[in-house]
């Protein structure tokens, strides 16, 4: 039996999803498609997000009596951020004789090689994707060849994109427009009967960052799938804090939010995957860097967001790159992320209150304080210190003594 796993937020499920599923089934000769709504995020992203049970129910309605579809609550039951490797493992236990396929959107497919326990995923499922959002079949096939070298079996299906999106559907509901031809029969009635998506996702008390969350949705979904629940919460807290500090410092809050979301994107994939991506893109570590595994996620994170996610804003890339070490000559955005990582709401260390006070009152003092704290801590632990950190510290001390010389 051939079963394809098709996961997503399904908020709500729409005809684009169904069409993709059916077309994939036809071309791959699949027996079943398993729709797996992702669990409720530990950190609610939008006020208007439907509850997990509603998203699950809409999938059930969409599936109807069609024997092609199964709907699974496996990820919702597990709660928190789910790793695809765990889901496939569980399905392997439930359906030991099945041949598993994994259907992923183009953007997700291009990152598969760095997912948690990629080898496990590749071993258990045939990896399938379809062109979307400006990512063409050629680019997908190129990346498929890279994954195949690592033992994966990949199929790129040239199915044309359907111009339906969950975001557009939610907008229409809010505007009182019809959903004709956009959602499967019964789903619109369900949405209406439950009063879903009637709240403006952009207008909560925390309006701005909810708006930022919406415009960074793809990145947030990506980190949700790649990070542990704790780290996911941390990243979201850093994004919020970065946007807040950016306003204070006169940096761009939108960019700061994005950099905050992405800063730890490679943190939970393991040293092997971190080094692999550096190797793939020809990045050679310096001696101090080799001895500092703690900074690999920052260096590989910068490479990942530039090369794989296609982020082309140099300032955002550098903010990720230097968020652990800092460096001399940091931009306002780089400092914002560095300090947001120290002062986000999830942080708890002896000096955190003082650090937060400084971050809000005196950026330069805060940087010096954070650098001194870090360097002292590294010395105490007998660790190597990255030269960038020392240069950052020296630059600030030199600046400070300059301003202290009477003229
Ligand atoms: Fe980090
Ligand atoms: Fe962090």
């Amino acid at each position: 039996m051939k079963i394809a796993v098709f996961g997503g937020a399904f908020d709500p499920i729409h005809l684009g999803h169904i069409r993709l599923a059916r077309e994939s089934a036809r071309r791959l000769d699949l027996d079943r498609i398993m729709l797996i709504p992702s669990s409720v995020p530990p950190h609610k992203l939008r006020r208007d997000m439907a509850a997990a049970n509603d998203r699950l129910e809409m999938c059930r309605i969409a599936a109807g009596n069609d024997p092609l579809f199964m709907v699974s609550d496996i990820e919702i039951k597990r709660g928190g951020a789910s790793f695809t490797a765990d889901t496939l493992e569980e399905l392997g236990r439930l359906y030991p004789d099945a041949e598993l396929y994994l259907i992923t959107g183009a953007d997700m497919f291009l990152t598969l090689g760095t997912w948690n326990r990629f080898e496990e995923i590749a071993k258990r499922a045939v990896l399938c994707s379809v062109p979307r959002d400006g990512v063409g079949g050629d680019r997908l096939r190129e990346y498929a060849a890279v994954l195949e070298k690592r033992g994966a079996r990949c199929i790129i299906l040239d199915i044309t994109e359907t111009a339906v999106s969950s975001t557009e559907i939610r907008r229409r509901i809010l505007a009182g427009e019809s959903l004709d031809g956009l959602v499967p029969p019964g789903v619109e009635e369900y949405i209406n009967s439950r009063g879903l998506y009637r709240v403006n996702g952009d207008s909560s008390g925390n309006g701005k960052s909810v708006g930022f969350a919406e415009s960074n949705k793809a990145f947030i979904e990506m980190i949700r799938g790649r990070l542990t629940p704790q780290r996911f919460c941390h990243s979201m807290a850093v994004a919020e804090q970065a946007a807040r500090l950016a306003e204070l410092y006169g940096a761009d809050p939108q960019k700061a939010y994005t950099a905050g979301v992405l800063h730890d994107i490679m943190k939970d994939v393991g040293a092997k995957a971190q080094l692999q991506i550096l190797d793939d893109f020809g990045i050679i570590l310096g001696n101090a860097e080799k001895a500092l595994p703690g900074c690999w996620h920052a260096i590989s994170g910068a490479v990942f967001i530039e090369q794989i996610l296609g982020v082309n804003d140099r300032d955002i890339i550098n903010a990720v790159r230097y968020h652990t070490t800092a460096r001399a000559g940091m931009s306002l955005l780089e400092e914002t992320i560095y300090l947001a990582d120290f002062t986000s709401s999830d942080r708890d260390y002896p000096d955190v209150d003082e650090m937060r006070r400084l971050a809000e009152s005196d950026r330069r003092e805060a940087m010096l304080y954070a650098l001194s704290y870090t360097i002292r801590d590294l010395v105490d632990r007998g660790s190597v210190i990255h030269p960038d950190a020392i240069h950052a510290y020296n630059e600030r001390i030199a600046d400070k003594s300059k301003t202290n010389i009477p003229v």
Side-chain angles (χ1 to χ4, degrees):
M1 181 150 84
K2 290 178 167 185
I3 303 180
V5 169
F6 185 16
F10 298 124
D11 191 30
I13 189 162
H14 55 66
L15 284 174
H17 296 127
I18 297 297
R19 179 172 169 271
L20 170 63
R22 282 194 200 286
E23 194 55 26
S24 307
R26 195 176 67 77
R27 299 203 193 186
L28 298 170
D29 203 17
L30 301 170
D31 297 295
R32 315 296 294 273
I33 298 236
M34 186 175 279
L35 303 171
I36 309 187
S38 52
S39 71
V40 172
H43 186 106
K44 205 167 184 184
L45 301 180
R46 299 187 331 268
R47 283 182 73 199
D48 66 339
M49 184 154 199
N53 281 339
D54 285 326
R55 292 183 291 115
L56 186 67
E57 190 52 33
M58 288 187 281
C59 286
R60 289 195 176 125
I61 293 170
N65 295 323
D66 190 331
L68 177 63
F69 291 108
M70 299 192 272
V71 180
S72 167
D73 59 0
I74 187 171
E75 296 203 351
I76 285 174
K77 270 205 182 132
R78 199 182 301 137
S82 258
F83 289 124
T84 301
D86 293 330
T87 301
L88 291 174
E89 241 170 51
E90 206 165 327
L91 293 178
R93 270 195 300 276
L94 291 170
Y95 305 95
D97 300 323
E99 193 182 337
L100 295 178
Y101 289 72
L102 177 70
I103 300 178
T104 59
D107 46 346
M108 299 299 271
F109 182 81
L110 290 178
T111 67
L112 264 170
T114 61
W115 284 17
N116 184 279
R117 306 203 323 278
F118 168 75
E119 276 70 22
E120 185 68 30
I121 296 174
K123 193 179 84 189
R124 291 193 175 269
V126 179
L127 312 176
C128 312
S129 191
V130 292
R132 199 177 73 185
D133 293 341
V135 181
D138 289 347
R139 185 148 169 231
L140 293 176
R141 270 180 279 273
E142 232 168 71
Y143 189 67
V146 174
L147 297 181
E148 277 161 0
K149 274 194 210 133
R150 293 173 63 194
R153 295 153 294 159
C154 303
I155 299 177
I156 305 304
L157 298 162
D158 280 307
I159 299 174
T160 47
E161 188 180 352
T162 313
V164 185
S165 77
S166 300
T167 311
E168 168 64 10
I169 289 170
R170 293 193 304 268
R171 187 201 62 74
R172 278 174 177 251
I173 294 165
L174 201 58
E177 295 169 21
S178 143
L179 300 184
D180 266 6
L182 297 177
V183 294
V187 169
E188 184 168 8
E189 288 74 19
Y190 184 84
I191 290 173
N192 289 336
S193 72
R194 300 273 300 138
L196 303 178
Y197 313 117
R198 304 264 174 232
V199 192
N200 188 342
D202 288 341
S203 67
S204 73
N206 197 352
K208 268 197 179 149
S209 42
V210 174
F212 293 152
E214 184 62 33
S215 51
N216 282 278
K217 203 173 162 225
F219 290 155
I220 293 170
E221 284 307 314
M222 181 159 296
I223 64 163
R224 191 210 307 282
R226 299 169 57 86
L227 300 177
T228 61
Q230 294 86 329
R231 186 96 54 207
F232 175 75
C233 287
H234 163 69
S235 299
M236 294 305 295
V238 170
E240 297 263 344
Q241 174 70 343
R244 193 161 41 235
L245 292 179
E247 298 254 14
L248 288 174
Y249 301 162
D252 181 333
Q254 171 75 288
K255 280 192 196 185
Y257 189 94
T258 302
V261 167
L262 295 175
H263 83 287
D264 273 343
I265 192 161
M266 289 294 283
K267 186 105 178 187
D268 289 332
V269 298
K272 211 172 129 201
Q274 291 165 356
L275 294 174
Q276 175 81 47
I277 191 171
L278 296 178
D279 200 44
D280 285 351
F281 291 96
I283 309 287
I284 296 163
L285 293 178
N287 284 339
E289 283 160 353
K290 278 187 198 145
L292 274 170
C295 74
W296 297 351
H297 76 281
I299 304 173
S300 58
V303 172
F304 183 88
I305 67 165
E306 180 178 9
Q307 303 290 345
I308 294 176
L309 301 188
V311 172
N312 54 18
D313 187 302
R314 188 49 52 194
D315 213 10
I316 293 179
I317 297 166
N318 284 337
V320 172
R321 168 70 178 78
Y322 296 103
H323 85 264
T324 53
T325 57
R327 64 165 173 170
M330 287 171 95
S331 72
L332 207 49
L333 188 76
E334 290 171 42
E335 292 193 351
T336 304
I337 298 304
Y338 186 81
L339 291 175
D341 199 14
F342 263 91
T343 56
S344 55
S345 58
D346 60 310
R347 287 291 194 201
D348 188 18
Y349 52 90
D351 285 9
V352 71
D353 288 334
E354 174 62 4
M355 192 64 234
R356 286 195 182 117
R357 191 190 61 75
L358 279 175
E360 278 169 27
S361 59
D362 188 336
R363 190 186 87 246
R364 286 187 183 80
E365 275 303 318
M367 282 302 299
L368 192 53
Y369 193 88
L371 283 163
S372 312
Y373 184 95
T374 309
I375 290 173
R376 215 175 289 129
D377 183 53
L378 290 168
V379 171
D380 287 347
R381 287 192 281 133
S383 164
V384 168
I385 299 171
H386 197 290
D388 284 342
I390 297 172
H391 293 149
Y393 175 82
N394 286 348
E395 177 191 59
R396 284 171 172 84
I397 290 287
D399 272 359
K400 201 175 167 175
S401 43
K402 232 187 284 163
T403 51
N404 287 342
I405 296 168
V407 278

